[in-house]
């Protein structure tokens, strides 16, 4: 699943903060590490050579086998296109670089990379140190094949780091639980109970499938606001890395996982890998079985 780990750099120490985690992911997964820098399309030969020497210096600090790449043009577009040309890439970057803008990495660049890339993007918040080791990974699922697009990546990283994979299903039932009348409340209570049992069965099946593949996995069935519950797990020290899909729609709440991911990025502190599902004609996600459990071992 992971063949190349791409780190976009802009010459700042903030952008360089992504290198240590990217390096260990590449080492553990057997992937190639590539450092990439984008310079303006009208950059002179001297500017291009300066950028190339900067990347060479960064690569020498890591390993002589690290690849470097200089691109000319729009930063976000060149990061997306450059990554797409590589073998099974993921992009690892910090949440803001030289631009100093606080919302996204490199100002608006990371936002555009996230929305434009068909490859996973792993974001590290600026000002927070990446974990020294990944011992636990959080995988939020909502019962859909869309959300399960993140499962193969979470499973591969779990295996690579010999970590524990925490599979979380958050059920939002506030609207269903609202009081109407005794008769309606009784009927809705039965519906809520059935939904909760279904969610529990789903999480248990996912975990059982992962354990059959030799992975250490633990289930979490939560109730409440999806982003709040996931952030609470993070703050409780359950995860060193969260891996999730960005476009899946929660079955009960009509909350798009993209908005949940944005809240996690703004309010959380641990690295966040975002995976955008690529649908096939029949609506399934490549790499999943009929039961929805990913079969790719990585």
């Amino acid at each position: 699943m992971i063949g190349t780990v791409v780190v976009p750099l802009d010459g700042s120490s903030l952008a360089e903060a992504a290198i240590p985690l990217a390096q260990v992911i590449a080492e553990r997964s057997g992937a190639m590490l590539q450092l990439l820098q984008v310079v303006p399309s009208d950059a002179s030969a001297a500017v291009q050579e300066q950028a190339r020497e900067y990347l060479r210096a960064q690569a020498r600090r890591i390993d002589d086998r690290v690849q470097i790449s200089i691109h000319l043009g729009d930063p976000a577009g060149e990061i997306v296109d450059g990554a797409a040309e590589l073998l099974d890439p993921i992009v690892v970057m910090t949440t803001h670089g030289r631009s100093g803008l606080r919302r996204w990495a490199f100002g608006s660049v990371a936002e555009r990379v996230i929305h434009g890339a068909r490859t996973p993007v792993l974001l590290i918040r600026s000002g927070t140190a990446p974990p020294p080791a990944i011992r636990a990974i959080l995988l939020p699922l909502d019962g859909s094949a869309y959300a399960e697009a993140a499962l193969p990546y979470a499973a591969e990283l779990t295996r690579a780091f010999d970590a524990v994979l925490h599979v979380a299903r958050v059920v939002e039932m506030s609207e269903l639980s609202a009081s109407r009348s005794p008769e309606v409340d009784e009927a809705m209570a039965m519906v809520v109970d059935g939904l909760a049992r279904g969610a529990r069965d789903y999480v248990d099946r996912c975990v059982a499938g992962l354990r059959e593949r030799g992975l250490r996995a633990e289930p979490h069935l939560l109730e409440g606001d999806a982003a709040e519950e996931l952030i609470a797990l993070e703050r409780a020290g359950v995860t060193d890395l969260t891996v999730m899909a960005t476009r899946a729609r929660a079955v009960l709440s009509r909350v798009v996982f993209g908005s949940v991911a944005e809240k996690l990025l703004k309010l959380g502190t641990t690295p966040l890998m975002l995976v955008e599902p690529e649908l096939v004609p029949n609506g399934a996600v490549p790499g999943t079985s009929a039961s929805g459990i990913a079969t790719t071992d990585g």
Side-chain angles (χ1 to χ4, degrees):
M1 292 293 297
I2 301 176
T4 312
V5 180
V6 183
V7 183
L9 298 175
D10 65 354
S12 71
S13 59
L14 286 170
E16 292 165 8
I19 294 176
L21 182 57
Q23 180 182 358
V24 72
I25 290 175
E27 291 173 350
R28 291 295 190 103
S29 63
M32 176 61 67
L33 179 63
Q34 179 169 111
L35 308 181
L36 178 152
Q37 186 168 8
V38 181
V39 298
S41 55
D42 59 354
S44 66
V47 169
Q48 294 181 46
E49 181 56 32
Q50 183 180 14
R52 188 171 289 106
E53 184 52 41
Y54 162 73
L55 292 183
R56 287 173 181 153
Q58 293 298 322
R60 284 194 294 270
R61 294 193 182 101
I62 305 168
D63 192 299
D64 290 338
R65 294 170 297 177
V66 174
Q67 296 179 343
I68 65 170
S69 178
I70 300 292
H71 289 248
L72 279 67
D74 171 69
E78 291 302 319
I79 292 170
V80 170
D81 293 343
E85 296 172 356
L86 302 172
L87 174 66
D88 298 328
I90 67 169
V91 176
V92 181
M93 59 195 303
T94 49
T95 52
H96 64 71
R98 175 173 289 169
S99 67
L101 298 178
R102 296 182 178 181
R103 185 177 178 198
W104 294 93
F106 303 79
S108 63
V109 173
E111 183 176 9
R112 292 166 58 202
V113 169
I114 292 167
H115 290 295
R118 302 297 289 180
T119 62
V121 180
L122 195 160
L123 297 167
I124 302 169
R125 283 78 161 178
S126 60
T128 63
I134 296 178
R135 298 177 297 270
I137 296 172
L138 177 63
L139 173 67
L141 296 176
D142 68 353
S144 72
Y146 297 88
E148 289 170 7
L151 203 158
Y153 290 97
E156 177 172 357
L157 289 170
T158 298
R159 190 182 302 280
F161 285 93
D162 191 24
V164 177
L165 181 55
H166 294 271
V167 181
R169 172 79 162 89
V170 182
V171 181
E172 297 187 332
M173 297 183 177
S174 57
E175 293 185 11
L176 293 175
S177 302
S179 178
R180 297 169 177 83
S181 69
E183 295 79 7
V184 173
D185 284 349
E186 182 178 358
M188 293 308 297
M190 295 177 62
V191 173
V192 168
D193 184 61
L195 290 171
R197 286 200 309 271
R200 167 59 69 184
D201 290 344
Y202 169 78
V203 172
D204 287 344
R205 288 197 306 272
C206 289
V207 168
L210 292 164
R211 289 174 176 172
E212 288 176 359
R213 295 162 56 193
L215 298 175
R216 293 187 291 160
E218 297 295 335
H220 296 267
L221 180 62
L222 307 169
E223 181 178 344
D225 177 81
E228 291 179 1
E229 293 299 321
L230 295 173
I231 290 171
L233 278 181
E234 177 185 301
R235 290 175 177 169
V238 169
T239 179
D240 298 311
L241 168 68
T242 298
V243 181
M244 67 181 296
T246 59
R247 297 285 176 89
R249 185 175 295 274
V251 175
L252 298 178
S253 65
R254 304 169 76 83
V255 174
V256 178
F257 255 37
S259 65
V260 176
E262 184 175 359
K263 291 179 181 177
L264 289 179
L265 183 61
K266 289 180 178 179
L267 302 176
T269 57
T270 59
L272 175 65
M273 176 185 272
L274 301 175
V275 180
E276 180 163 347
E278 293 186 14
L279 300 181
V280 294
N282 65 2
V285 175
T288 62
S289 66
S291 66
I293 306 301
T295 56
T296 302
D297 284 326

